[in-house]
Amino acid sequence: MSPELGKPVHNQMAVATFIGPLNGEYHGKNTLERKNSGKRRVFVQTESGSVLGIELDRGDNVHTVKRKLRLALNVPTDESSLVCGDMVLKNDLSIVRNDSPLLLTRNFLHRSSSTPCLSPTGKDLQQRDQSGPIEVLGYSDQFSRTKQLVVDIVKAIRNGIDPVPVHGGLGGAYYFRNCSGENIAIVKPTDEEPYAPNNPKGFVGKALGQPGLKRSIRVGETGFREVAAFLLDYNNFANVPDTALVKITHSVFNVNDGVKGNVHRNGKQASKIASLQQFIPHDFDASDHGTSSFPVAAVHRIGILDIRILNTDRHAGNLLVRKLDGGGRFGRVELVPIDHGLCLPESLEDPYFEWIHWPQASIPFSDDELVYINKLDPFKDSDMLRMELPMIREACLRVLVLCTIFLKEAAAFGLCLSEIGEMMSREYRGHEEEPSELEIICIEAKTLLDEEISYFEPKAGREEFQFELDSGEEELDLAPTTEEKMKTERTFRFGSKGGNGRYLLSKLEESVEEGMDGHEGNELPPRSDDCVSVVLDRIPNVSKLSTSLKNISIGEKSWRHLGSMQKNGYLAGTSSGNRSVNEQRPMSSNFVMLADMNEEEWMRFLENFQRLLRPAFANRKAGNVGQRQRQRLGTSCQF
């Protein structure tokens, strides 16, 4: 999670950039860009949810867009910024692609007592949203079926068949129908998500871009994650329904008036940025059906996708079940995964995998599944998402890269789906939250990176701590080369082998002397040309934590829940009552920061990460990692 993510809105723009290496960087590749000819169009959304489609002339800039927005929607644009994901647009709009969604955010700076009076030109007065009732945002050929759905929906609307609100869930959602009155799509406006300004079910109180149900997933940003999951599901491997980001206009949508009000603008058209997903007729969901009849391949394929995208909300309610043979309750069925708005967080989160203890997840991957996993390329995936979803944040893409590498290495090593899921999942002991085995590996990889950086930095005025080993083999302290010396020092950072495979967070303050109590811990590690291969004989080391971890910034006491966590997940009921947003949202620990590394550091981190994986997998296979039944917190956040 970005260090700025939790700040109040007056200290942070609603869709803010990362402070540090990722701030303002543009990561698109010229080879993927499509050249725009003639005019371009953008869709600008305000913090309150209003949306305007604007045709850009060649000479238009941020100031002219703001002026058009102010005249068309009568919204203030003084002391505001125009942003697209991580990018704050200063004035030049040449980097903005056609049909890109932008967000107008308030800066909350001191406002002048006088506002200049601008006389609109004739061209400004003609500024109106010229887009159609539904516009698909994106270039991908995968949206072709969605565009046909749009044609059917528009035809039905013109014939007087209006959409129907969905009454379940926490956010606003609507069934759109065809001319026969059949549901063919479900639309979720981004400004009607839980805690968003126009949420129709009382869960309000946040501006677009502030922390949402998950602190590392911002309000108004679940829609593009739904689309990302669909785009990443190559060849419909996991059976994700067709999904696209759209700009859509209809009078059925909810618009709140005031902070506590929930007054709908009856009869008035409201334009929204929303996710549009094909509606899949089904018989029930996984919570209503015995899991023993689920096909092994279907469970594996959905699990593979969930691991890649670090799905934090794969509960039974978002696994639809369709009968294939029309027979009884336990006939052949098909699984359809939906609701991917809580995937690809900005930092490593605790995932929720409903399938983790299903018997199918313990069956080894098939050859076809292993071939599919082996062909995955997270860097190409990231480039594709930057092209199709320019508002996606780099931190989300780093999570995708990390988790895909983890999946590929684990599958190649021979781990099954349940073992991979367990290594990615945290445990809870009372009010303490422990990092997952994946996070532990990341912590060690980051430690190695920090040591590499600090070793070559000037040492003036800096004290180094190096504990002593009572081994009598003093010659090992003298490495013949600088590189080997670094490798030797690293091997001393780890304690004894064994333990239960988890770093209990209270152990972070444990002294290094205690870490040397075990018999194996007193043995000197062998020297090797590959420092990480030596080190990882001792990963994961649970009972005694290395001293280096004590200096890692993982959020002071961020794992302490202090009794404030809801036992039953995010919300105790279906109504928010008078509770504040912070009271309804559980705390979320953040043990590893991925966004604070520049590009060179990130690549070096990944190299360390990959070298640490296979020994960690071997340790788990050898039984050195405790595999207890986890105490899981419910995270059913249907919206």
Side-chain angles (χ1 to χ4, degrees):
M1 185 179 67
S2 166
E4 301 294 304
L5 190 59
K7 290 189 177 181
V9 68
H10 59 272
N11 286 334
Q12 180 192 17
M13 290 178 293
V15 179
T17 60
F18 282 106
I19 303 300
L22 297 183
N23 187 16
E25 291 183 2
Y26 176 64
H27 298 268
K29 293 187 179 296
N30 295 331
T31 56
L32 291 176
E33 294 294 340
R34 299 191 179 187
K35 293 182 179 180
N36 295 311
S37 58
K39 291 187 175 181
R40 289 172 296 152
R41 180 178 58 179
V42 295
F43 295 94
V44 184
Q45 184 178 34
T46 68
E47 285 182 320
S48 63
S50 300
V51 177
L52 179 70
I54 298 177
E55 296 283 347
L56 294 180
D57 294 324
R58 191 175 300 275
D60 281 350
N61 54 34
V62 168
H63 296 298
T64 55
V65 168
K66 288 182 180 180
R67 181 175 62 185
K68 292 177 179 180
L69 195 67
R70 182 172 64 250
L71 294 171
L73 298 181
N74 193 28
V75 296
T77 59
D78 297 330
E79 307 296 354
S80 63
S81 295
L82 206 59
V83 298
C84 181
D86 288 328
M87 294 184 292
V88 179
L89 304 174
K90 299 302 182 182
N91 198 36
D92 182 22
L93 295 177
S94 61
I95 203 171
V96 177
R97 294 196 293 273
N98 188 40
D99 285 353
S100 292
L102 308 178
L103 182 65
L104 182 76
T105 66
R106 293 170 292 171
N107 295 343
F108 285 89
L109 299 177
H110 176 69
R111 184 188 297 270
S112 172
S113 58
S114 61
T115 301
C117 180
L118 299 177
S119 299
T121 65
K123 190 175 181 179
D124 290 331
L125 291 174
Q126 294 175 1
Q127 175 61 46
R128 294 291 185 272
D129 191 337
Q130 302 296 323
S131 58
I134 307 178
E135 298 278 352
V136 176
L137 312 183
Y139 299 110
S140 176
D141 294 336
Q142 296 186 68
F143 297 143
S144 58
R145 292 186 298 269
T146 302
K147 291 178 180 178
Q148 183 56 51
L149 283 177
V150 168
V151 171
D152 296 339
I153 291 170
V154 171
K155 187 183 298 184
I157 291 174
R158 289 173 178 167
N159 288 334
I161 301 177
D162 291 326
V164 178
V166 179
H167 297 294
L170 303 179
Y174 304 85
Y175 291 127
F176 278 70
R177 303 180 285 176
N178 59 17
C179 290
S180 301
E182 301 168 329
N183 295 336
I184 61 172
I186 182 168
V187 171
K188 300 177 183 178
T190 59
D191 66 326
E192 297 187 29
E193 295 176 8
Y195 308 137
N198 293 316
N199 180 275
K201 298 171 183 177
F203 297 102
V204 295
K206 291 286 186 178
L208 297 179
Q210 288 188 293
L213 283 172
K214 293 281 186 178
R215 293 190 63 85
S216 58
I217 297 177
R218 305 176 192 239
V219 174
E221 297 190 4
T222 64
F224 73 72
R225 287 176 165 85
E226 296 256 22
V227 182
F230 166 68
L231 292 173
L232 290 169
D233 186 26
Y234 298 118
N235 302 319
N236 205 225
F237 185 76
N239 209 21
V240 177
D242 289 88
T243 313
L245 201 65
V246 298
K247 179 263 181 185
I248 185 167
T249 303
H250 201 279
S251 59
V252 73
F253 295 128
N254 187 72
V255 177
N256 292 331
D257 292 335
V259 177
K260 296 182 179 180
N262 190 19
V263 181
H264 183 267
R265 299 191 304 179
N266 292 322
K268 291 187 177 181
Q269 299 284 314
S271 294
K272 306 270 186 169
I273 300 293
S275 64
L276 184 149
Q277 185 172 83
Q278 177 188 8
F279 176 78
I280 304 297
H282 54 281
D283 298 287
F284 28 72
D285 63 46
S287 64
D288 302 320
H289 192 278
T291 61
S292 60
S293 65
F294 294 162
V296 173
V299 174
H300 282 193
R301 292 179 174 216
I302 291 170
I304 288 169
L305 176 67
D306 287 341
I307 288 170
R308 291 170 62 200
I309 62 180
L310 192 65
N311 196 344
T312 66
D313 194 36
R314 173 62 73 211
H315 58 82
N318 56 38
L319 282 174
L320 305 182
V321 183
R322 300 174 63 184
K323 294 181 181 178
L324 295 180
D325 53 11
R329 181 175 178 84
F330 298 104
R332 293 175 56 245
V333 298
E334 175 188 38
L335 297 183
V336 181
I338 60 171
D339 292 347
H340 297 100
L342 295 181
C343 72
L344 295 177
E346 293 182 33
S347 62
L348 291 180
E349 282 268 6
D350 183 31
Y352 186 83
F353 302 141
E354 182 76 23
W355 41 258
I356 199 168
H357 296 302
W358 292 357
Q360 296 92 330
S362 297
I363 296 176
F365 290 118
S366 68
D367 290 341
D368 289 343
E369 291 161 355
L370 289 174
V371 169
Y372 180 89
I373 293 172
N374 183 58
K375 289 182 178 179
L376 293 173
D377 186 335
F379 299 101
K380 288 184 178 179
D381 291 345
S382 298
D383 288 339
M384 179 272 295
L385 291 180
R386 291 187 190 105
M387 176 64 192
E388 298 296 341
L389 301 170
M391 75 296 295
I392 195 167
R393 300 175 184 277
E394 286 299 312
C396 305
L397 298 179
R398 289 187 173 185
V399 168
L400 170 66
V401 169
L402 190 80
C403 292
T404 304
I405 290 174
F406 187 76
L407 168 66
K408 288 169 68 70
E409 294 290 339
F413 192 84
L415 297 187
C416 65
L417 184 62
S418 63
E419 291 173 316
I420 299 172
E422 287 174 355
M423 290 187 73
M424 298 177 72
S425 301
R426 297 175 183 172
E427 286 187 6
Y428 298 86
R429 294 185 179 181
H431 299 310
E432 288 190 346
E433 184 177 7
E434 301 179 22
S436 66
E437 291 170 54
L438 169 62
E439 289 172 305
I440 291 169
I441 297 170
C442 289
I443 290 172
E444 295 293 352
K446 186 64 164 61
T447 302
L448 292 173
L449 174 64
D450 292 340
E451 290 173 352
E452 292 170 3
I453 295 173
S454 63
Y455 190 87
F456 291 104
E457 287 179 348
K459 298 183 179 181
R462 178 169 60 87
E463 294 184 3
E464 289 195 4
F465 174 78
Q466 190 173 14
F467 56 85
E468 296 180 358
L469 296 175
D470 299 328
S471 63
E473 301 184 41
E474 299 178 357
E475 65 275 9
L476 285 183
D477 290 334
L478 301 176
T481 66
T482 301
E483 181 180 2
E484 289 188 21
K485 183 176 180 181
M486 287 180 61
K487 294 175 181 178
T488 307
E489 287 179 354
R490 286 177 188 159
T491 62
F492 300 159
R493 298 279 184 166
F494 298 84
S496 62
K497 276 198 293 187
N500 62 3
R502 292 278 175 179
Y503 288 124
L504 183 61
L505 291 180
S506 60
K507 301 288 185 182
L508 286 172
E509 302 302 326
E510 195 169 8
S511 67
V512 69
E513 287 76 16
E514 292 175 330
M516 302 303 296
D517 286 341
H519 294 291
E520 295 185 11
N522 287 327
E523 298 175 3
L524 283 173
R527 290 167 56 184
S528 168
D529 291 336
D530 188 348
C531 65
V532 182
S533 65
V534 178
V535 164
L536 281 157
D537 283 339
R538 308 174 182 272
I539 297 282
N541 167 16
V542 199
S543 59
K544 307 296 183 288
L545 206 61
S546 65
T547 357
S548 60
L549 292 184
K550 293 167 65 177
N551 298 323
I552 297 176
S553 175
I554 56 175
E556 294 182 2
K557 299 184 179 179
S558 61
W559 59 88
R560 304 286 183 184
H561 287 226
L562 301 177
S564 62
M565 180 177 291
Q566 300 286 338
K567 288 185 178 180
N568 295 321
Y570 287 95
L571 302 168
T574 58
S575 174
S576 61
N578 295 321
R579 288 176 295 159
S580 69
V581 168
N582 288 331
E583 289 173 332
Q584 296 175 62
R585 185 182 63 238
M587 297 292 292
S588 179
S589 302
N590 184 25
F591 300 112
V592 182
M593 297 295 297
L594 302 179
D596 60 353
M597 290 178 273
N598 61 35
E599 194 65 25
E600 180 183 356
E601 292 170 347
W602 167 240
M603 297 310 296
R604 289 164 63 186
F605 167 83
L606 288 179
E607 291 176 1
N608 291 338
F609 175 74
Q610 285 186 272
R611 288 196 297 265
L612 291 167
L613 288 177
R614 294 185 69 83
F617 298 150
N619 213 35
R620 166 169 274 272
K621 278 292 190 183
N624 293 332
V625 178
Q627 301 182 27
R628 307 178 300 276
Q629 183 77 15
R630 284 169 169 73
Q631 176 188 349
R632 303 292 297 159
L633 298 183
T635 56
S636 298
C637 308
Q638 304 178 45
F639 60 92

